[in-house]
Amino acid sequence: TQLLEQSPQFLSIQEGENLTVYCNSSSVFSSLQWYRQEPGEGPVLLVTVVTGGEVKKLKRLTFQFGDARKDSSLHITAAQPGDTGLYLCAGAGNRDDKINFGKGTRLHILP
Amino acid sequence: GAVVSQHPSWVICKSGTSVKIECRSLDFQATTMFWYRQFPKQSLMLMATSNEGSKATYEQGVEKDKFLINHASLTLSTLTVTSAHPEDSSFYICSERAGVMAQETQYFGPGTRLLVL
């Protein structure tokens, strides 16, 4: 099983601040996904990264895949209360492997 | 991305009864679907992989006789929690792999919250 470690586990910051959450592993992933889950709902896919060093932007969210494809980060600029949720990273070593999930970062943005 | 629906969205039942949860792929023919369970404040735990036309593959520690999975068509997989007990209370989520990179991206249903009294 390829473990994904997410940090921090919890983060509570004021609206307008910037933040970065991390997803790390000792294993190489063919691709990695980030999801956001709100209470009582299923996870919603934010992005898939597949190329080492890749950077993708989704409005105020910037996702980066490490050069060695073992880690990823999510940076949020000027956080808003609507960004509150559980952020999950997930990945598989090979295309036919099961996707493994990290334990998530629970983010709370204070208005 | 793919669209996945689940029914019901929540269910309350008495201990000892069986509960069936449906997972439908609305815009994609899914030969494989996945069932997850999520306890409060925790991440998703894969329970089983549902294969269309064949037996499901269960993860270690998941009782196949308790969590019955049927994937009779390319758009419908069902999970039946048999003889439910309070410890089965959880958030059950199904997903499918779809898209251009079909093996690497999963799309999730909205989840079914089960409360067993």
Side-chain angles (χ1 to χ4, degrees), chain B residues 22-84:
Chain B
E22 294 185 348
C23 176
R24 292 184 184 275
S25 174
L26 299 182
D27 60 351
F28 187 75
Q29 291 184 326
T31 56
T32 303
M33 299 178 89
F34 303 89
W35 285 96
Y36 290 83
R37 180 167 54 184
Q38 185 178 34
F39 291 106
K41 309 291 186 184
Q42 295 188 23
S43 188
L44 283 70
M45 292 175 50
L46 179 65
M47 298 175 66
T49 302
S50 172
N51 303 300
E52 188 268 334
S54 64
K55 291 182 180 180
T57 304
Y58 290 83
E59 295 300 298
Q60 191 172 9
V62 178
E63 300 175 57
K64 61 181 181 181
D65 294 329
K66 180 168 184 63
F67 299 99
L68 300 178
I69 291 174
N70 184 279
H71 194 156
S73 78
L74 288 172
T75 59
L76 175 63
S77 175
T78 61
L79 168 67
T80 301
V81 183
T82 62
S83 186

Side-chain angles (χ1 to χ4, degrees), chain A residues 30-31 33 35 37 40-43 45 48 50 86 88 95-99 101-103 106, chain B residues 36 38 41-44 46 49 59 91 93 97 101 103-111 113:
Chain A
S30 62
S31 71
Q33 294 85 47
Y35 295 85
Q37 184 181 24
E41 299 181 12
L45 178 69
T48 298
V50 296
L86 176 66
L88 296 159
R95 290 191 169 188
D96 294 331
D97 286 349
K98 284 177 244 184
I99 291 179
F101 281 84
K103 292 187 176 181
R106 196 164 295 278
Chain B
Y36 290 83
Q38 185 178 34
K41 309 291 186 184
Q42 295 188 23
S43 188
L44 283 70
L46 179 65
T49 302
E59 295 300 298
F91 193 50
I93 314 172
R97 283 179 175 174
M101 292 177 283
Q103 291 85 357
E104 294 147 335
T105 300
Q106 287 193 160
Y107 296 89
F108 290 86
R113 186 162 299 283

Side-chain angles (χ1 to χ4, degrees), chain A residues 51-72:
Chain A
T51 305
E54 180 177 7
V55 176
K56 282 191 174 179
K57 291 193 174 183
L58 184 65
K59 296 183 180 179
R60 294 176 293 100
L61 278 60
T62 302
F63 304 86
Q64 185 163 11
F65 201 12
D67 291 342
R69 306 208 315 275
K70 293 183 178 181
D71 54 85
S72 181

